[in-house]
Amino acid sequence: MRDDLVIQTIEPTTHDLGGFKVHRTLPSRPRTMVGPFIFFDQMGPAILDVGTGIDVRPHPHINLATVTYLFAGAIDHRDSLGTFATIEPGAVNLMTAGHGIVHSERSPSAEREKGPELSGIQTWLALPEAMEERDPAFEHVAAADLPIVEAHGARARVIMGELWGVSAPTTTYAQTIYGDIALDGGASIPIDAAADERALYVATGDASLDGMPLVPMTLYLLRPGIRATLRSERGARVMFCGGEAFATPRHVWWNFVSSSRDRINQAKEDWKAGAFPKVPNDDKEFIPIPEVPKTVSYP
């Protein structure tokens, strides 16, 4: 077992949202970002009651991009650009907030009829300062369009960036790597060492890195430049994320991310005043600004 692999371990904060749990490792007091990743949530796994579903009401974002990736289930996405897209396992939804976007996420009707399954990862990416106020955009990349590297019981889908010699078509604004690794029992895969900052997260199963056991639902920040092998004895699903290190800090408050506290304060006032755009066909029951933010602002 090597003791030079990991430079930081981040344990999750778990929230029970009624019917399913969310495990959050970023942002945290120990660390705000890994590459451009500033928010990392695992949703579920859970099976909700028949006739119910998730209903994330319309809410705003600025200066970030959201990345939704499912292991199971489906989610209907609507946003203020007029987008409607249903995401299913293996595909990716990339929503770029830029100077401001509003969106909702709800379980499709067909899922509610059978009891929705929910399992996946939702992340936020901070935008480079020069792109924070760009125009909003939405991009759906089907599972069939994301490259897969497969050998000897290991199967890795590249969600963003370049890994294991192949590149995903998903748009990136900073150098970004993001991969979904499925390992059969006894399988292994080398972990690419190219990015400035890299982290591993075991979503399900058991895994080890060069013999060092990895605890599920924990984010492991890897030492830069270190090459290692990820292995599972009984089978696992592991997320691999990271990218270039940002030179300037980002602040996080509620659904807002920015390099400027003043910009976040302006977004608060804009949301209270109803100045954000509406979501077509889902423009009621907006989420209000919370009295206590669900995330805190980090220096």
Side-chain angles (χ1 to χ4, degrees), residues 20 62 109 119-120 144 223 227 229 231 256 262 269 292 295:
F20 70 97
I62 63 164
S109 297
S119 181
R223 189 172 300 281
R227 297 183 181 278
T229 299
R231 181 179 175 84
F256 304 136
D262 290 341
E269 297 306 314
V292 178
T295 57

Side-chain angles (χ1 to χ4, degrees), residues 31-208:
R31 189 176 194 92
T32 310
M33 300 175 68
V34 177
F37 289 82
I38 198 166
F39 182 94
F40 195 104
D41 266 9
Q42 179 176 2
M43 307 174 289
I47 298 177
L48 308 183
D49 292 339
V50 173
T52 68
I54 63 165
D55 283 293
V56 181
R57 295 172 289 162
H59 59 283
H61 292 287
I62 63 164
N63 294 183
L64 59 81
T66 67
V67 183
T68 304
Y69 184 80
L70 297 182
F71 302 144
I75 296 175
D76 283 345
H77 164 98
R78 288 180 172 87
D79 64 39
S80 51
L81 299 174
T83 306
F84 174 77
T86 300
I87 185 171
E88 295 179 328
V92 61
N93 275 2
L94 173 69
M95 186 187 75
T96 304
H99 58 69
I101 198 168
V102 179
H103 77 130
S104 66
E105 294 168 298
R106 302 183 186 273
S107 296
S109 297
E111 293 287 311
R112 294 173 190 268
E113 292 173 1
K114 63 183 181 182
E117 191 171 1
L118 180 65
S119 181
I121 304 290
Q122 187 159 63
T123 62
W124 297 353
L125 306 178
L127 296 178
E129 283 184 79
M131 298 184 186
E132 284 185 317
E133 296 295 327
R134 58 153 288 149
D135 288 340
F138 179 85
E139 178 175 305
H140 175 88
V141 183
D145 294 328
L146 293 172
I148 292 175
V149 177
E150 190 169 12
H152 309 297
R155 189 173 190 267
R157 176 179 280 114
V158 181
I159 303 168
M160 301 183 78
E162 181 177 345
L163 287 168
W164 303 290
V166 297
S167 298
T170 315
T171 297
T172 58
Y173 300 105
Q175 195 266 326
T176 306
I177 56 169
Y178 194 21
D180 169 20
I181 304 168
L183 297 175
D184 292 341
S188 63
I189 191 170
I191 294 302
D192 202 303
D196 292 345
E197 296 180 345
R198 302 167 298 152
L200 288 169
Y201 178 91
V202 181
T204 60
D206 74 277
S208 62

Side-chain angles (χ1 to χ4, degrees), residues 2 18 26 35 44 65 70 100 105 149 152 213 222 251 289 294:
R2 294 169 54 182
L26 290 177
L70 297 182
E105 294 168 298
V149 177
H152 309 297
L222 307 184
H251 309 290
I289 291 279
K294 68 182 180 185

